[in-house]
């Protein structure tokens, strides 16, 4: 991973840190980690497409997407590089509300997230619905900055943070669990921080 603007406020976990998964430490800052250079996506050029396989289901521009119901979500997040940050406050559109606006139920058990830079990551559809995940538009009440994946990023807080794809431009329902960018390079196909599923051979 490429690390940019790393601000560390780490401390070792204590016995009372039951919210910290195994092998993690508590981070006070918000490290910036990306697979490549920071992308700058203008909202005027942004769009989000929902697909079933290669077939588009619905597409939204920035104004249309922001007209969808907004939900606040405060969650702990966990990076595969071993930091955990408590109580991160986000606001965005739940995946459930995206599906409702498209007038569909999830058509497959698997989903592939796509980003403007070609990055992909796979997430089981059940891990995106029932209020578990959103397309985040705001962090700490402000528009998400480019280095943290703005203007819109996926947020799947119960999985390692590489699953929360930056610079998101679509979700694609797939018939099989297709590995994404890091999964093809040895990262775990699922990525549960509580089971330390960092790499392919982890249980």
């Amino acid at each position: 991973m490429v690390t940019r603007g790393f601000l560390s406020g780490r401390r070792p976990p204590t016995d009372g840190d039951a919210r910290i998964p195994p092998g993690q430490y508590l981070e006070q800052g918000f490290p910036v980690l990306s697979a490549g250079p920071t992308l700058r996506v203008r909202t005027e050029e942004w769009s989000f497409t929902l697909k079933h396989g290669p077939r588009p289901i619905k597409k939204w521009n920035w104004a249309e997407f922001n007209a969808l119901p907004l939900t606040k979500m405060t969650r702990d997040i966990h990076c595969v590089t071993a930091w955990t940050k408590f109580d991160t406050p986000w606001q965005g559109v739940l995946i459930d509300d995206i599906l409702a606006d498209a007038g569909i139920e999830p058509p497959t058990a698997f989903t592939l997230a796509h980003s403007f830079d070609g990055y992909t990551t796979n997430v089981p559809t059940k891990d995106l619905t029932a209020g578990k995940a959103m397309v985040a538009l705001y962090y700490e009440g402000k528009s998400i900055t480019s280095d943290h994946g703005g203007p819109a990023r996926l947020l799947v807080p119960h999985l390692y943070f590489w699953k929360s794809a930056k610079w998101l431009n679509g979700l694609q329902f797939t018939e099989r669990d297709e590995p994404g960018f890091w999964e093809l390079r040895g990262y775990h196909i699922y990525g549960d921080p509580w089971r330390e599923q960092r790499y392919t051979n982890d249980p």
Side-chain angles (χ1 to χ4, degrees), residues 1 80-81 162 182-190 197-200:
M1 277 188 174
V80 72
T81 59
W162 91 79
W182 284 118
E183 294 82 13
L184 288 169
R185 290 159 174 81
Y187 278 35
H188 199 277
I189 196 73
Y190 183 60
Q197 293 177 334
R198 302 175 193 271
Y199 307 110
T200 300

Side-chain angles (χ1 to χ4, degrees), residues 8-51:
S8 179
R10 65 184 291 175
R11 68 168 177 79
T14 68
D15 290 341
D17 289 329
R19 290 159 62 184
I20 301 180
Q24 299 286 107
Y25 68 84
L26 184 61
E27 174 64 54
Q28 302 298 332
F30 197 158
V32 176
L33 300 137
S34 300
T38 296
L39 209 61
R40 311 285 176 183
V41 181
R42 299 173 58 209
T43 55
E44 296 87 349
E45 300 168 346
W46 185 90
S47 64
F48 180 87
T49 304
L50 197 65
K51 293 182 177 181

Side-chain angles (χ1 to χ4, degrees), residues 133-196:
M134 67 164 49
V135 176
L137 307 175
Y138 302 94
Y139 178 73
E140 293 186 329
K142 299 177 182 178
S143 297
I144 300 174
T145 57
S146 295
D147 58 342
H148 283 298
R153 72 173 300 157
L154 186 61
L155 179 68
V156 192
H158 62 285
L159 300 181
Y160 279 124
F161 212 46
W162 91 79
K163 296 289 187 177
S164 295
K166 293 182 176 183
W167 312 301
L168 191 72
N169 71 349
L171 293 175
Q172 178 185 19
F173 294 107
T174 58
E175 299 298 329
R176 62 184 185 87
D177 199 6
E178 298 183 21
F181 179 88
W182 284 118
E183 294 82 13
L184 288 169
R185 290 159 174 81
Y187 278 35
H188 199 277
I189 196 73
Y190 183 60
D192 181 351
W194 293 98
R195 296 169 64 187
E196 290 194 86

Side-chain angles (χ1 to χ4, degrees), residues 90 102 131:
W90 307 85

